[in-house]
Amino acid sequence: MTPQPLWLLAELTYRCPLQCPYCSNPLEFAGARFRNELGTEDWCRVFREAKALGVLQLGLSGGEPLLRADLERLVAAAHEVGLYTSLITSAYRLTKDRLAALRRSGLDHVQISIQAADEELSNYIAGTASYGDKLAAYRWTKELGFPLTVNVVLHRKNLHQVRDLIGLAESLGAERIELANTQFYGWAFHNRDALMPTRAQLEEGWRVVQEERGRLGTRLEIVWVLPDYHEQFPKPCMGGWARSYMTVTPAGEVWPCHAAGRITTLKFANVREHSLEWIWHHSDAFTKFRGDAWMPEPCRSCPRKTVDFGGCRCQAFLIAGDAGVTDPVCSLSPHRHLVDDAVAEVERTAAAEAGEWVYRAAPNSRALAAKG
Amino acid sequence: MTSPAPDASTVRVAPKARLQWDEVRQRHVLLYPEGLVALNETGADILALCDGTRTVAGIVTSLQQRYGVEGVQQDVTGFLEALAAKGLILFEGG
Ligand code: SF4
Ligand code: SF4
């Protein structure tokens, strides 16, 4: 029996005032494929269809979802059908009035990113002066009674701040802090050499997390998203391909994960032409890697295949050039040497701070797309 | 670690969590930021009683009357303490 989805990530727009070099959005986000954004009615229909399919959790994301003038209406529509709604935002130029309006519309949870613990580094990483807006928005989020998640993407330039970041979340009264080690898709893959931390940095970060968990107990949930290049086995991507999760992109394409659009060998259906139900059950992108019939060796005969589902298809495509092979991060993969090489290169050059990143910005997106 | 449920305090579902009927899967769920707990009928009944007016003892009494059974104290306490450890229910006063 086909599983029923639980999670839907609605990427409402790829416009964003920030320029984080690790953004998981597609490199070609500024191109024609993503520009023709769905209207209010389209999204409301998507939410209704998602709920009827079994979805319970809705993430409203982007780009920057606050740039949608109809965000309050979208939240209200999602709330009305009974979805638990999370706003995933940079909080840039957010006002307390707007946050209060979102609360009245039925928004359940607010997740606000921050790029570092101090203003200078945070603004530098974001490529936009945004730290002050974020701190104000954190306070309003709590004042208005929302549960608050602080989200930080970790990489070479901010991993030394793990303790300060946890301290910041604690002082804000946040329920959760997500310390997400960079996953190398989209812009992060392009900027991999500039972002990848050293093994020593990761070990220290993980040590601090364990210490802080002991100190804080249940007062603050500290989520540590594993840096999979440095692990022995891949992460169970999205709990298995097309098992519980889907992403709807700004122009209506539906992907089994938020990085899947990069896989050129898959065909993606659009909510403008098909119902979400048809897409979930029948579209090429969702059926191709569902279950385990597609698996090659070494996954096919591996006892871990029910644990990690062969790892991430997007990573297999990005690193090995074939979405249908074992995740190259797996130590049993014949492509693991490609990952080891990338890690070794960072160990070799990190001391010299080699590698600058390219900011996620529309002109850079167009330039990269032109290069092909 | 789980904190023991204090006898005199009242219990309520935390503001960040929402008890809801899942029509597709025909069961109750407790939804919260980035997660959910699937509930069986008893679990849903217990949570419906966590409305901020009852103590754990009060909830136990209600359930025993409803089901006509004895000795559910330990199960109820264990269930509530596990949820409290995730911040999904709150013990107040007492
Ligand atoms: S990661 Fe940064 S640039 Fe990408 S959408 Fe989020 S806030 Fe914008
Ligand atoms: S061989 Fe495949 S199933 Fe086994 S651990 Fe590696 S990725 Fe997972």
Side-chain angles (χ1 to χ4, degrees):
Chain A
M1 210 188 84
T2 313
Q4 295 145 331
L6 272 172
W7 309 83
L8 185 121
L9 184 71
E11 296 186 329
L12 299 177
T13 178
Y14 281 152
R15 291 171 288 141
C16 184
L18 272 60
Q19 317 180 53
C20 314
Y22 48 71
C23 186
S24 64
N25 288 167
L27 281 181
E28 339 78 87
F29 76 85
R33 180 177 173 192
F34 302 111
R35 252 202 315 253
N36 183 13
E37 289 182 12
L38 295 177
T40 312
E41 288 315 311
D42 289 325
W43 278 116
C44 294
R45 173 175 57 84
V46 166
F47 299 158
R48 282 194 303 274
E49 291 181 355
K51 183 67 189 345
L53 255 184
V55 170
L56 296 171
Q57 289 275 3
L58 174 69
L60 297 160
S61 174
E64 176 47 68
L66 294 170
L67 293 178
R68 289 282 303 216
D70 58 355
L71 184 60
E72 289 83 341
R73 284 179 62 195
L74 297 180
V75 167
H79 179 71
E80 200 184 297
V81 297
L83 295 168
Y84 190 96
T85 51
S86 297
L87 177 65
I88 300 163
T89 177
S90 73
Y92 186 74
R93 295 287 182 264
L94 178 57
T95 63
K96 189 171 183 184
D97 282 349
R98 186 148 198 224
L99 202 52
L102 289 164
R103 179 96 180 142
R104 285 193 299 275
S105 302
L107 183 65
D108 289 299
H109 164 225
V110 178
Q111 169 176 322
I112 301 174
S113 64
I114 198 154
Q115 281 63 20
D118 67 276
E119 177 156 19
E120 193 184 342
L121 185 58
S122 186
N123 288 344
Y124 167 69
I125 295 169
T128 306
S130 49
Y131 186 82
D133 284 11
K134 290 168 186 290
L135 285 199
Y138 284 134
R139 282 189 221 106
W140 299 328
T141 301
K142 290 311 295 178
E143 280 167 28
L144 289 165
F146 284 110
L148 168 66
T149 295
V150 174
N151 168 278
V152 195
V153 174
L154 297 177
H155 47 81
R156 188 146 93 231
K157 293 210 167 67
N158 66 2
L159 247 166
H160 61 287
Q161 292 194 333
V162 166
R163 194 183 303 277
D164 292 344
L165 287 161
I166 293 170
L168 177 66
E170 180 189 7
S171 71
L172 292 165
E175 272 77 11
R176 300 171 73 237
I177 179 168
E178 244 177 49
L179 298 168
N181 281 290
T182 303
Q183 309 291 307
F184 295 108
Y185 308 108
W187 290 78
F189 186 74
H190 186 77
N191 289 315
R192 192 174 67 177
D193 291 347
L195 290 167
M196 199 189 301
T198 62
R199 205 171 277 284
Q201 278 186 301
L202 285 168
E203 277 164 12
E204 175 61 11
W206 174 231
R207 194 187 64 76
V208 171
V209 165
Q210 287 167 297
E211 223 175 83
E212 291 289 274
R213 278 184 181 158
R215 182 177 71 82
L216 288 158
T218 55
R219 264 191 298 149
L220 174 67
E221 183 190 354
I222 305 174
V223 180
W224 171 259
V225 178
L226 286 174
D228 60 354
Y229 275 49
H230 293 80
E231 301 290 317
Q232 203 187 350
F233 295 115
K235 56 186 178 291
C237 207
M238 301 294 160
W241 185 268
R243 278 190 74 200
S244 65
Y245 183 93
M246 57 180 133
T247 294
V248 180
T249 68
E253 281 183 33
V254 191
W255 299 350
C257 102
H258 59 275
R262 181 75 179 269
I263 302 177
T264 53
T265 46
L266 291 177
K267 286 196 288 296
F268 301 100
N270 193 299
V271 294
R272 284 192 162 108
E273 282 128 38
H274 297 278
S275 71
L276 214 52
E277 186 186 14
W278 184 90
I279 294 172
W280 177 258
H281 288 288
H282 304 294
S283 69
D284 178 59
F286 279 79
T287 52
K288 189 82 146 246
F289 301 120
R290 186 177 268 141
D292 60 9
W294 60 273
M295 281 185 189
E297 293 296 348
C299 296
R300 179 175 290 273
S301 53
C302 178
R304 282 185 58 91
K305 72 178 176 187
T306 54
V307 179
D308 64 30
F309 312 100
C312 173
R313 299 304 87 227
C314 306
Q315 198 140 264
F317 183 81
L318 281 175
I319 298 176
D322 181 351
V325 298
T326 297
D327 188 334
V329 151
C330 180
S331 51
L332 303 171
S333 158
H335 297 101
R336 172 71 206 195
H337 63 98
L338 298 171
V339 173
D340 288 336
D341 289 351
V343 171
E345 178 66 14
V346 166
E347 295 294 330
R348 209 170 52 74
T349 57
E353 278 298 323
E356 258 320 301
W357 55 46
V358 177
Y359 280 106
R360 173 225 196 265
N364 293 339
S365 171
R366 285 188 283 268
L368 287 167
K371 270 200 290 182
Chain B
M1 286 318 298
T2 59
S3 44
D7 289 340
S9 52
T10 55
V11 195
R12 71 181 170 108
V13 175
K16 70 173 177 182
R18 190 163 81 214
L19 180 63
Q20 191 171 303
W21 173 248
D22 178 359
E23 181 66 32
V24 170
R25 297 170 188 82
Q26 294 287 304
R27 63 181 189 197
H28 279 91
V29 285
L30 189 64
L31 298 169
Y32 57 92
E34 308 297 326
L36 60 103
V37 179
L39 300 163
N40 59 22
E41 232 174 288
T42 322
D45 285 348
I46 296 173
L47 283 179
L49 293 168
C50 297
D51 59 1
T53 70
R54 292 176 177 81
T55 61
V56 175
I59 292 170
V60 169
T61 310
S62 296
L63 288 169
Q64 296 191 153
Q65 280 168 1
R66 182 175 312 177
Y67 297 128
V69 292
E70 291 290 308
V72 303
Q73 166 92 39
Q74 223 178 347
D75 290 348
V76 173
T77 311
F79 176 76
L80 291 177
E81 282 172 359
L83 291 179
K86 292 178 133 188
L88 298 175
I89 58 156
L90 304 174
F91 298 116
E92 289 171 325

